[in-house]
Amino acid sequence: MSKIHLLNEFQSIFKSTATPRTFFAPGRINLIGEHTDYNGGHVFPASISFGTYALAQTRDDQKLRFYSLNFPDSGIIEADLSDLTYNATHDWANFPKGMIKYMSESGFNISTGMDILFYGDIPNGAGLSSSASIEMVTGVLLEGLFDLVIDRVDMIKLGQKVENDYIGVNSGIMDQFAIGKGKLNHAILLNCQTLTYRYAPIELDDHAIMIINTNKQRTLAGSKYNERRTQCEQALAELQTELEIESLGDLTNVQFEQHKHLITDEINQKRAKHAVYENQRTLEALEKLEQGELTEFGRLMNESHKSLQYDYEVTGLELDTIVKAARDQPGVIGARMTGAGFGGCAIAIVEKDKIDSFKENVNKIYTEKIGYEASFYTAAIGDGAKEITKEMA
Ligand code: GLA
């Protein structure tokens, strides 16, 4: 959507002659390190070029008016700075509202109301973190409009708090971190226990990262996400009866094998195994990538999916079908689900000159088995959340 179009929409929807400022927050993919963030492990995500645009303008009063071009039927959603409690009838606008609430409660002076127009090009329900993207675009627009001096990691933590305490999804910090700290052509290796991180350039030469959307929608709140988290916490508590560890991310695979008998429930044992092995796999994957061993990186992606399929059990027919179809194509180095699972997207590393046949073949296999089509996008890794008023001019 062009700048002019967004500006016209803003002025006509809010009946305003103002020239608002424009902000953008990307979505994210995760290359490897799934369901490790809330287990104190490592993740390896990257911000993508799809994301959420927000055009924002302060007001003279305390009113908040939100409008999303993605949900025109909801119309303008109105709230007031004096009442930022969660309100189910405010629907998607609870995400920016929650962010405004927690930023003000943290002492940032948000002195007036605002008109904000949102537009997102992240496919809906695809598991590419559209909700974290809305939270973070709200964070940067507040920072910009009210001249706030806010540490980016603090903003990221507030985004996660919105998800956990305001919306009620017990998610980890990966999504907000990837979006808040994203860097062009780089992925981020993040230690979720200490929040130390470093960037790794993603240079895949004659390969591209394909994002494949199963088009099976998922919502985190409705999924088994919180249940997985509880199972891991139970497993950790049992391991802690003998081991001095803070999280499953503290364990090596060997240590886990030596102590797994402490976990009495068989299912919880499988969940914990995934968390431990996936964390180690993530570290290994980064090493391989940095040594230019792309085939090994792909192999680890494949193993990651297998572990998510059999031990963590968050994949499902659609993701398993698409990942298998992807791997069976010539020129594919590795494929796995990305994000929370239960539908949403997979990623695959594909030789660039095989992309067309890849799409065609995978889509055919998928459609025959599942009954509807998949969608394909080439991932471009872009920058994290920021103001883009000048770039859009
Ligand atoms: C969702 C959550 C993240 C992370 C992933 C799984 O995207 O928001 O915190 O747990 O699932 O890796």
Short mmCIF file of all heavy atoms in Angstrom, two decimals, residues 28 30 33-38 43 127 129 131-132 160 163 169-176 218 220 225 229 308 336-341, ligand 1:
data_model
loop_
_atom_site.label_atom_id
_atom_site.label_comp_id
_atom_site.label_asym_id
_atom_site.label_seq_id
_atom_site.Cartn_x
_atom_site.Cartn_y
_atom_site.Cartn_z
N ARG A 28 8.08 -11.76 11.93
CA ARG A 28 9.33 -12.52 12.05
C ARG A 28 9.18 -13.97 11.59
O ARG A 28 8.08 -14.52 11.57
CB ARG A 28 9.85 -12.51 13.50
CG ARG A 28 8.96 -13.26 14.52
CD ARG A 28 9.40 -14.65 14.86
NE ARG A 28 8.42 -15.39 15.63
CZ ARG A 28 7.46 -16.11 15.09
NH1 ARG A 28 7.32 -16.17 13.79
NH2 ARG A 28 6.60 -16.76 15.85
N ASN A 30 11.36 -17.72 12.46
CA ASN A 30 12.40 -18.27 13.32
C ASN A 30 13.10 -19.37 12.53
O ASN A 30 12.46 -20.29 12.05
CB ASN A 30 11.77 -18.83 14.60
CG ASN A 30 12.83 -19.25 15.61
OD1 ASN A 30 13.98 -18.81 15.54
ND2 ASN A 30 12.45 -20.11 16.54
N GLY A 33 15.20 -23.14 16.78
CA GLY A 33 15.12 -22.79 18.20
C GLY A 33 13.66 -22.53 18.55
O GLY A 33 13.26 -21.44 18.92
N GLU A 34 12.85 -23.60 18.42
CA GLU A 34 11.40 -23.41 18.60
C GLU A 34 10.94 -23.93 19.96
O GLU A 34 11.33 -25.01 20.39
CB GLU A 34 10.67 -24.16 17.48
CG GLU A 34 9.46 -23.45 16.97
CD GLU A 34 9.79 -22.14 16.29
OE1 GLU A 34 10.09 -22.13 15.08
OE2 GLU A 34 9.73 -21.10 16.97
N HIS A 35 10.11 -23.13 20.60
CA HIS A 35 9.61 -23.45 21.95
C HIS A 35 10.77 -23.60 22.94
O HIS A 35 10.71 -24.37 23.88
CB HIS A 35 8.73 -24.71 21.94
CG HIS A 35 7.40 -24.46 21.26
ND1 HIS A 35 6.33 -23.88 21.91
CD2 HIS A 35 7.00 -24.68 19.99
CE1 HIS A 35 5.31 -23.76 21.07
NE2 HIS A 35 5.70 -24.23 19.89
N THR A 36 11.82 -22.84 22.67
CA THR A 36 12.95 -22.82 23.60
C THR A 36 12.97 -21.52 24.40
O THR A 36 13.60 -21.45 25.43
CB THR A 36 14.29 -22.91 22.84
OG1 THR A 36 14.21 -22.02 21.74
CG2 THR A 36 14.55 -24.33 22.33
N ASP A 37 12.27 -20.49 23.91
CA ASP A 37 12.44 -19.18 24.57
C ASP A 37 11.94 -19.18 26.00
O ASP A 37 12.63 -18.75 26.92
CB ASP A 37 11.84 -18.02 23.73
CG ASP A 37 10.36 -18.11 23.43
OD1 ASP A 37 9.73 -19.16 23.70
OD2 ASP A 37 9.81 -17.11 22.91
N TYR A 38 10.75 -19.74 26.23
CA TYR A 38 10.23 -19.76 27.62
C TYR A 38 10.85 -20.90 28.44
O TYR A 38 10.49 -21.10 29.58
CB TYR A 38 8.69 -19.84 27.63
CG TYR A 38 8.12 -20.99 26.81
CD1 TYR A 38 8.03 -22.26 27.35
CD2 TYR A 38 7.70 -20.79 25.50
CE1 TYR A 38 7.53 -23.32 26.60
CE2 TYR A 38 7.20 -21.83 24.74
CZ TYR A 38 7.11 -23.09 25.30
OH TYR A 38 6.62 -24.13 24.56
N VAL A 43 17.15 -18.91 20.68
CA VAL A 43 16.32 -18.86 19.48
C VAL A 43 17.15 -18.17 18.39
O VAL A 43 18.14 -17.51 18.70
CB VAL A 43 15.00 -18.08 19.71
CG1 VAL A 43 14.09 -18.84 20.66
CG2 VAL A 43 15.27 -16.67 20.23
N GLY A 127 1.13 -17.15 11.90
CA GLY A 127 2.19 -17.48 12.85
C GLY A 127 3.46 -16.71 12.57
O GLY A 127 4.55 -17.15 12.90
N SER A 129 3.79 -13.65 13.71
CA SER A 129 3.82 -12.67 14.80
C SER A 129 3.18 -11.33 14.49
O SER A 129 3.72 -10.28 14.81
CB SER A 129 5.25 -12.42 15.28
OG SER A 129 5.72 -13.54 15.93
N SER A 131 0.72 -10.15 16.03
CA SER A 131 0.35 -9.46 17.27
C SER A 131 1.56 -8.77 17.89
O SER A 131 1.47 -7.61 18.31
CB SER A 131 -0.34 -10.40 18.26
OG SER A 131 0.51 -11.44 18.63
N ALA A 132 2.71 -9.43 17.91
CA ALA A 132 3.91 -8.77 18.44
C ALA A 132 4.27 -7.57 17.57
O ALA A 132 4.79 -6.57 18.05
CB ALA A 132 5.07 -9.76 18.50
N GLN A 160 5.99 -8.09 25.52
CA GLN A 160 5.73 -9.45 26.00
C GLN A 160 4.71 -9.42 27.15
O GLN A 160 3.84 -10.29 27.26
CB GLN A 160 7.02 -10.10 26.48
CG GLN A 160 6.82 -11.56 26.87
CD GLN A 160 8.00 -12.15 27.65
OE1 GLN A 160 8.91 -11.44 28.06
NE2 GLN A 160 7.96 -13.46 27.87
N GLU A 163 1.23 -9.34 25.90
CA GLU A 163 0.81 -10.67 25.46
C GLU A 163 0.46 -11.55 26.67
O GLU A 163 -0.57 -12.21 26.71
CB GLU A 163 1.99 -11.28 24.68
CG GLU A 163 1.64 -12.30 23.66
CD GLU A 163 0.96 -11.72 22.44
OE1 GLU A 163 1.48 -10.78 21.81
OE2 GLU A 163 -0.12 -12.24 22.12
N VAL A 169 -1.79 -14.79 26.80
CA VAL A 169 -1.02 -15.87 26.18
C VAL A 169 0.36 -15.87 26.82
O VAL A 169 1.05 -14.85 26.84
CB VAL A 169 -0.86 -15.64 24.66
CG1 VAL A 169 -0.05 -16.78 24.05
CG2 VAL A 169 -2.23 -15.57 24.01
N ASN A 170 0.75 -17.04 27.33
CA ASN A 170 1.98 -17.14 28.11
C ASN A 170 3.24 -17.23 27.25
O ASN A 170 4.13 -18.04 27.52
CB ASN A 170 1.89 -18.42 28.95
CG ASN A 170 1.91 -18.07 30.41
OD1 ASN A 170 2.43 -17.02 30.79
ND2 ASN A 170 1.36 -18.94 31.23
N SER A 171 3.33 -16.45 26.19
CA SER A 171 4.41 -16.59 25.22
C SER A 171 5.74 -16.11 25.78
O SER A 171 5.79 -15.35 26.76
CB SER A 171 4.07 -15.80 23.96
OG SER A 171 3.75 -14.49 24.33
N GLY A 172 6.81 -16.54 25.14
CA GLY A 172 8.15 -16.10 25.53
C GLY A 172 8.49 -14.77 24.90
O GLY A 172 7.61 -14.07 24.39
N ILE A 173 9.80 -14.46 24.86
CA ILE A 173 10.20 -13.12 24.43
C ILE A 173 10.68 -13.07 22.99
O ILE A 173 10.96 -12.01 22.44
CB ILE A 173 11.28 -12.57 25.38
CG1 ILE A 173 11.36 -11.04 25.28
CG2 ILE A 173 12.66 -13.24 25.12
CD1 ILE A 173 11.88 -10.37 26.48
N MET A 174 10.70 -14.24 22.32
CA MET A 174 11.31 -14.27 20.99
C MET A 174 10.69 -13.27 20.00
O MET A 174 11.41 -12.55 19.31
CB MET A 174 11.19 -15.67 20.38
CG MET A 174 11.63 -15.70 18.93
SD MET A 174 11.73 -17.32 18.23
CE MET A 174 10.03 -17.77 18.02
N ASP A 175 9.37 -13.27 19.90
CA ASP A 175 8.74 -12.50 18.83
C ASP A 175 9.02 -11.00 18.97
O ASP A 175 9.42 -10.33 18.01
CB ASP A 175 7.22 -12.74 18.81
CG ASP A 175 6.88 -14.20 18.65
OD1 ASP A 175 7.80 -14.99 18.32
OD2 ASP A 175 5.72 -14.58 18.87
N GLN A 176 8.77 -10.48 20.18
CA GLN A 176 8.99 -9.05 20.40
C GLN A 176 10.47 -8.70 20.21
O GLN A 176 10.81 -7.64 19.72
CB GLN A 176 8.52 -8.63 21.80
CG GLN A 176 7.02 -8.64 21.99
CD GLN A 176 6.45 -10.03 22.23
OE1 GLN A 176 7.18 -11.00 22.42
NE2 GLN A 176 5.13 -10.13 22.22
N ARG A 218 -4.10 -20.28 12.90
CA ARG A 218 -3.96 -20.66 14.29
C ARG A 218 -4.06 -19.40 15.14
O ARG A 218 -3.68 -18.32 14.72
CB ARG A 218 -2.61 -21.31 14.54
CG ARG A 218 -1.44 -20.58 13.90
CD ARG A 218 -0.18 -20.85 14.63
NE ARG A 218 -0.19 -20.18 15.90
CZ ARG A 218 0.14 -18.91 16.05
NH1 ARG A 218 0.50 -18.18 15.03
NH2 ARG A 218 0.10 -18.35 17.25
N LEU A 220 -2.93 -18.23 19.04
CA LEU A 220 -2.17 -18.71 20.19
C LEU A 220 -3.06 -18.99 21.39
O LEU A 220 -2.93 -20.01 22.06
CB LEU A 220 -1.14 -17.66 20.60
CG LEU A 220 0.21 -17.72 19.90
CD1 LEU A 220 1.16 -16.77 20.58
CD2 LEU A 220 0.80 -19.12 19.95
N TYR A 225 -0.71 -23.93 23.40
CA TYR A 225 0.56 -23.28 23.74
C TYR A 225 0.79 -23.24 25.25
O TYR A 225 1.84 -23.66 25.75
CB TYR A 225 0.56 -21.87 23.15
CG TYR A 225 1.88 -21.16 23.31
CD1 TYR A 225 2.86 -21.23 22.33
CD2 TYR A 225 2.16 -20.42 24.45
CE1 TYR A 225 4.07 -20.58 22.47
CE2 TYR A 225 3.38 -19.77 24.61
CZ TYR A 225 4.32 -19.85 23.62
OH TYR A 225 5.52 -19.21 23.77
N ARG A 229 3.72 -25.08 27.84
CA ARG A 229 4.56 -24.35 28.78
C ARG A 229 4.46 -24.95 30.18
O ARG A 229 5.47 -25.13 30.85
CB ARG A 229 4.13 -22.88 28.78
CG ARG A 229 5.06 -22.05 29.55
CD ARG A 229 4.97 -20.57 29.26
NE ARG A 229 5.97 -19.91 30.10
CZ ARG A 229 6.42 -18.71 29.90
NH1 ARG A 229 5.98 -18.00 28.89
NH2 ARG A 229 7.33 -18.18 30.70
N LEU A 308 9.72 -31.44 16.91
CA LEU A 308 8.47 -30.71 17.16
C LEU A 308 7.26 -31.58 16.81
O LEU A 308 6.18 -31.44 17.39
CB LEU A 308 8.44 -29.42 16.34
CG LEU A 308 9.42 -28.35 16.83
CD1 LEU A 308 9.83 -27.40 15.72
CD2 LEU A 308 8.81 -27.57 18.00
N ARG A 336 11.22 -26.80 7.86
CA ARG A 336 10.63 -26.99 9.20
C ARG A 336 9.49 -26.01 9.43
O ARG A 336 9.38 -25.01 8.73
CB ARG A 336 11.68 -26.81 10.29
CG ARG A 336 12.33 -25.43 10.30
CD ARG A 336 13.36 -25.29 11.40
NE ARG A 336 12.75 -25.33 12.70
CZ ARG A 336 12.21 -24.29 13.32
NH1 ARG A 336 12.23 -23.09 12.77
NH2 ARG A 336 11.65 -24.42 14.48
N MET A 337 8.67 -26.32 10.38
CA MET A 337 7.66 -25.34 10.79
C MET A 337 8.37 -24.17 11.45
O MET A 337 9.49 -24.31 11.93
CB MET A 337 6.65 -25.95 11.76
CG MET A 337 7.25 -26.57 13.02
SD MET A 337 6.08 -26.66 14.41
CE MET A 337 6.46 -25.15 15.29
N THR A 338 7.72 -23.01 11.50
CA THR A 338 8.31 -21.86 12.19
C THR A 338 7.24 -21.23 13.07
O THR A 338 6.07 -21.19 12.70
CB THR A 338 8.90 -20.85 11.18
OG1 THR A 338 9.68 -19.88 11.88
CG2 THR A 338 7.84 -20.14 10.35
N GLY A 339 7.64 -20.77 14.26
CA GLY A 339 6.68 -20.15 15.18
C GLY A 339 6.08 -21.17 16.12
O GLY A 339 6.66 -22.21 16.39
N ALA A 340 4.89 -20.90 16.58
CA ALA A 340 4.28 -21.73 17.62
C ALA A 340 3.85 -23.11 17.12
O ALA A 340 3.82 -24.08 17.87
CB ALA A 340 3.07 -21.01 18.21
N GLY A 341 3.50 -23.19 15.84
CA GLY A 341 3.01 -24.47 15.31
C GLY A 341 1.49 -24.50 15.29
O GLY A 341 0.85 -23.44 15.28
C1 GLA B 1 5.21 -18.16 19.62
C2 GLA B 1 5.57 -17.40 20.88
C3 GLA B 1 7.10 -17.35 21.06
C4 GLA B 1 7.71 -18.74 20.95
C5 GLA B 1 7.20 -19.47 19.71
C6 GLA B 1 7.66 -20.89 19.67
O1 GLA B 1 5.64 -17.47 18.49
O2 GLA B 1 5.05 -16.10 20.85
O3 GLA B 1 7.39 -16.74 22.29
O4 GLA B 1 7.49 -19.47 22.12
O5 GLA B 1 5.78 -19.46 19.64
O6 GLA B 1 9.04 -20.97 19.52
#
